[in-house]
Amino acid sequence: AANNPRLQCASQRDEVVPDGKKHGDYHPTCTNSTANVTADPAMPAQYATAPNCSSSSGRFDAFLNKASYPNSHELVKGKLYLQWRRSGGDAVEARMAYDGVVGWLAVGPENPGGGHNGMNGAPVVMGVYDPDPALYGGAAWLNYVGTGVAERVIHHTESAFRHWKEPYATPALVSSEMLVTKCHSAMTFKTSKISGVALNVTGNTSNRLIWGVHTAGLLKGYHGFGNRGHLDVDFSKDVGHLAWVNPYAVANPSPPAAATANTTANTSASSTYAAVTAADKSGGPASSRASTRFVVAAATAVVVAFAIQMLVS
């Protein structure tokens, strides 16, 4: 940059973090920018999901085409599915289908021991929706790659997409497609391995996968809370259509001990914390989560007052 640039912590959009304390893709950059950090651009209106594409219309059920894909895992409740079918030999045909328009979606084997719960260093098949090469500055902004499906390897230490945007040099995809309509998105592919890592297709052995999807915009740096996860899939067996499982649910909790004033307060406080945490992580409307927080806060206040009364009486 011109006009006496100086070393600053800046984003790819040349927005500056004065104290250098912010999560995201910020790096020491020689720039004279004084622009403050702003929210990531939302999905442009011309590419966003059409308003008449409600889930109740039944369109998404037809789009899933479950008759062609006898196996599926519901990844985001009512919204995202990983579908698959065996293709003979050591190949599998897979499809990630989303009820709405996505910026990208991806799936691939976890990298055991890798950073961010096995994400860093993981091989993935990634479907990208890039309808406009000039939308965010194009290739000069290190973000545009074009609409399509490609094998990639997430950088071992740098998570930002610009550090691993180049496709894997020797891909194994037999076929692939990235389909985006005004209502739905789907990435389909057929392969026996992803970025050099073989899939277990015939040996009654589970594949530990990671997955992610970004729906808020066309940027590739983020996925948002609840839009990523891990999944165990045995491609050698037909499993049918498996419903979403809450990853934050506690299985077989231990029976509570005999309650005292202190344990009553602690247990109730823990329950209220769990309730608000579940509300935050359920993916429900923000208004519902806010209402839950208000009710939980009121309940917590009552519990604390009760405990104090028991202790002083």
Side-chain angles (χ1 to χ4, degrees), residues 73-197:
H73 291 258
E74 188 177 21
L75 303 179
V76 177
K77 191 173 183 179
K79 299 293 288 185
L80 177 66
Y81 294 78
L82 174 64
Q83 304 174 281
W84 59 272
R85 62 193 177 199
R86 288 188 298 278
S87 186
D90 59 355
V92 63
E93 294 181 69
R95 182 176 190 249
M96 290 185 78
Y98 182 78
D99 187 11
V101 174
V102 304
W104 62 264
L105 33 71
V107 65
E110 174 190 88
N111 177 31
H116 295 92
N117 296 314
M119 182 191 80
N120 290 111
V124 295
V125 177
M126 184 177 188
V128 173
Y129 180 45
D130 251 350
D132 186 349
L135 188 62
Y136 300 126
W141 196 69
L142 305 176
N143 192 56
Y144 178 80
V145 295
T147 298
V149 179
E151 297 170 60
R152 291 182 165 90
V153 177
I154 300 174
H155 196 280
H156 282 264
T157 57
E158 301 288 346
S159 300
F161 178 70
R162 63 192 177 97
H163 297 293
W164 51 276
K165 69 170 187 172
E166 296 301 326
Y168 188 66
T170 54
L173 294 179
V174 177
S175 59
S176 64
E177 179 187 29
M178 183 66 186
L179 173 65
V180 180
T181 72
K182 291 299 292 182
C183 293
H184 312 113
S185 307
M187 170 181 70
T188 58
F189 61 91
K190 177 181 178 180
T191 192
S192 60
K193 55 186 177 180
I194 298 176
S195 300
V197 177

Side-chain angles (χ1 to χ4, degrees), residues 1-6 8 14 29-33:
N3 302 324
N4 301 317
R6 62 186 185 278
Q8 300 189 83
D14 210 23
T29 305
C30 191
T31 179
N32 60 0
S33 174

Side-chain angles (χ1 to χ4, degrees), residues 10-11 45 49 53 55-56 81 93-94 137 141 159 171 188 193 202 209 212 214 240 255 258-259 277 279 291 298 309:
S11 73
T49 305
C53 298
S55 298
S56 60
Y81 294 78
E93 294 181 69
W141 196 69
S159 300
T188 58
K193 55 186 177 180
T202 60
L209 306 178
H214 183 51
T277 301
S291 298
Q309 183 178 0

Side-chain angles (χ1 to χ4, degrees), residues 257-270 300-313:
T260 64
N262 285 335
T263 58
T264 299
N266 289 339
T267 302
S268 299
S270 298
T300 302
V302 172
V303 169
V304 171
F306 171 77
I308 292 173
Q309 183 178 0
M310 290 291 290
L311 290 171
V312 300
S313 61

